[in-house]
Amino acid sequence: MTTNSVTSSATGPNKGVSRQAIFVGILLAVGLIAPFAVYPVFLMKGLCFALFAAAFNLLLGYVGLLSFGHAMFFGWSAYITAHAAKEWGLTPEIAVLLGTFCAAGMGAVVGWLAIRRQGIYFAMITLALAQLMYFVALQAPFTHGEDGIQGVPRGHLFGVIDLSDTLNMYYFVFGVFALALFFLYRVVNSPFGQVLKAIRDNEPRAISLGYQVDRYKLIAFIISAALSGTAGSVKSLVFQLASLTDVHWHASGEVVLMTLLGGVGTIFGPTAGAYLVVTIQNYFATLGSWVTIIQGVIFVICVLAFRAGIVGVLRPFLKKRGIEA
Amino acid sequence: MADDYIVETKNLTKEFKGFVAVSDVNLKVKRHTIHALIGPNGAGKTTCFNLITKFLPLSRGTILLNGRDITNTAPADIAQLGMVRSFQISAVFGHLTALENVRVALQRKLGTSFHFWKSDTSLAELNDRAEQLLEDVGVLEYRDIPAGELSYGRKRALEIATTLALEPEMLLLDEPMAGMGTEDVARTAELIRRVSKDRTILMVEHNLSVVADLSDTITVLKLGKVLAEGPYSEISQNPEVIEAYMGHGVGSHA
């Protein structure tokens, strides 16, 4: 009798689950056939940023923490993966895992320092530490400063599948993305996720119920950092390059923009936001610095007209149909 | 002797940069009673609350809970010792449904609250208990509504259900009736009376008529000090109290 009650507060649960399955199935299918219709490198770039934004969204959307330094996880993992693949000749999956673990480690340290503060102070501490790591990246010899690590070999996945083939590379990126998004979905909809949402909604109350909120925040921070790292690692293989752009604070700002445009606290919002921003950057690139202005205008419109972001606006509509977006 | 009192404070003092908000308060809350803390604005009632539940560090003094010194205990650990507080602004988790609100309180004892790899359907075993708690406070019909969309009175009721989920021996209610209409006040008073069975309640309240009916003991604070203590009948006759707090309004309130 209790089984049907948890999954969804929306409509009839069984119907809801199957519609959800169809919805996710369609998205997967779109992801699988997309490279035959759209330029794959563009798609991969979008997926990398989508994963980055989704990881960032775990903190902003489900814990209520605005980190302004996530580029350090994204960019540093790119360096680590690039270095591991190029200099040590590691296979891509190991190199990506290494990048992810390093990001998790950095996340543990940065998170431990930052979560003692809230709001703007939290954002400032993360920004300060990210700037510190930016200058380390600028000075450290192995990052090659302004040049970055170039010509990173994509290598052979598990030593067999040749990733220099664009389609192979695409499906690798897509697979990583889909797994990571599922993992994030699971985290958000877990006993742990319930506590996170409670902390986001009312931290003092969560404390008064006996939750040591700092531990929950720290774990969420580490998960977010780790997956941001995964995104950066994969990106360095896609473009065969790890550069200062990805550790720069611009990248930290961009991920905030993507998450807010797409819909903070939604599952697919960051993906939508990431593709929107990447599209603007790619297809309006000829407009030069106007791109920033266009982004700014879109952001202002978004904040004024639909605050919940693209997916946030669609969400009530989908929810009525038993789909959680 | 010591067993008669569930909470005792000794010389409880809080100073904020030269301003003494709470000064040498010796509070003794008797087990299984409703104890009210009243006083004019700025008397230090809420500060007292925050000190006792460790949301604020104290400047001086000791706090005993069941004879155990909790002066240096972390706020999250206080709940595990059986003392749970509410807040002045109704404290619900606005984006979670009413059921989930109560379940958040229940789920800690499952020991899976750090399990981020597990589906939240594993929490379903708590639903019966959560529904029962919602039923107890009369909000079961709203179980699937996000708590943020409930009316003020129902949020309060939900908050009490969430608190009761922890089965605390001691409840601290910070102005449970603040901002309520008369109907909700009566309902909440009834609820408090009902849950006070086998429990101890310490509450801050402005509404005198409510306090008069509900509480066994009243402590009157003024400028951070205890002005008087006793049952309502006694307090209401105390000339100092009348002057400091009740003014000319005593008769009309009671």
Side-chain angles (χ1 to χ4, degrees), chain A residues 51-281:
Chain A
L51 176 52
F52 185 24
F56 174 80
N57 181 43
L58 176 68
L59 273 191
L60 184 61
Y62 296 96
V63 201
L65 289 173
L66 172 63
S67 160
F68 209 74
H70 258 47
M72 72 181 130
F73 310 121
F74 187 64
W76 267 90
S77 293
Y79 278 127
I80 285 157
T81 299
H83 187 77
K86 190 180 176 186
E87 306 295 333
W88 302 337
L90 294 184
T91 53
E93 72 283 357
I94 303 289
V96 168
L97 276 179
L98 190 65
T100 304
F101 279 117
C102 288
M106 275 172 75
V109 177
V110 173
W112 183 76
L113 288 167
I115 51 168
R116 295 141 186 261
R117 295 282 173 267
Q118 280 156 348
I120 192 75
Y121 301 104
F122 175 85
M124 286 299 133
I125 291 174
T126 50
L127 174 63
L129 292 170
Q131 284 303 97
L132 185 84
M133 291 309 288
Y134 171 81
F135 285 106
V136 174
L138 187 64
Q139 298 297 334
F142 86 98
T143 62
H144 302 290
E146 300 281 354
D147 296 338
I149 306 177
Q150 298 179 4
V152 179
R154 284 181 179 174
H156 289 68
L157 186 61
F158 308 119
V160 244
I161 305 164
D162 183 7
L163 291 184
S164 58
D165 178 87
T166 310
L167 266 189
N168 286 348
M169 186 68 201
Y170 174 80
Y171 288 118
F172 171 61
V173 177
F174 186 69
V176 170
F177 169 78
L179 280 178
L181 208 62
F182 174 74
F183 175 71
L184 283 169
Y185 172 80
R186 171 53 75 239
V187 170
V188 167
N189 295 288
S190 69
F192 175 74
Q194 284 283 317
V195 181
L196 285 188
K197 289 181 225 171
I199 293 171
R200 171 197 66 189
D201 282 1
N202 196 325
E203 184 170 340
R205 181 57 171 163
I207 296 172
S208 85
L209 293 180
Y211 287 106
Q212 273 143 354
V213 297
D214 282 357
R215 293 192 196 167
Y216 290 85
K217 287 183 185 175
L218 182 58
I219 292 174
F221 195 95
I222 294 172
I223 294 174
S224 174
L227 290 180
S228 300
T230 311
S233 295
V234 172
K235 184 173 178 266
S236 76
L237 292 179
V238 171
F239 290 97
Q240 305 185 283
L241 171 74
S243 71
L244 286 173
T245 330
D246 291 339
V247 270
H248 198 261
W249 65 266
H250 276 172
S252 296
E254 241 161 34
V255 77
V256 179
L257 184 73
M258 289 168 180
T259 308
L260 292 180
L261 286 179
V264 68
T266 64
I267 299 160
F268 297 107
T271 308
Y275 270 102
L276 181 67
V277 172
V278 171
T279 306
I280 294 170
Q281 287 172 350

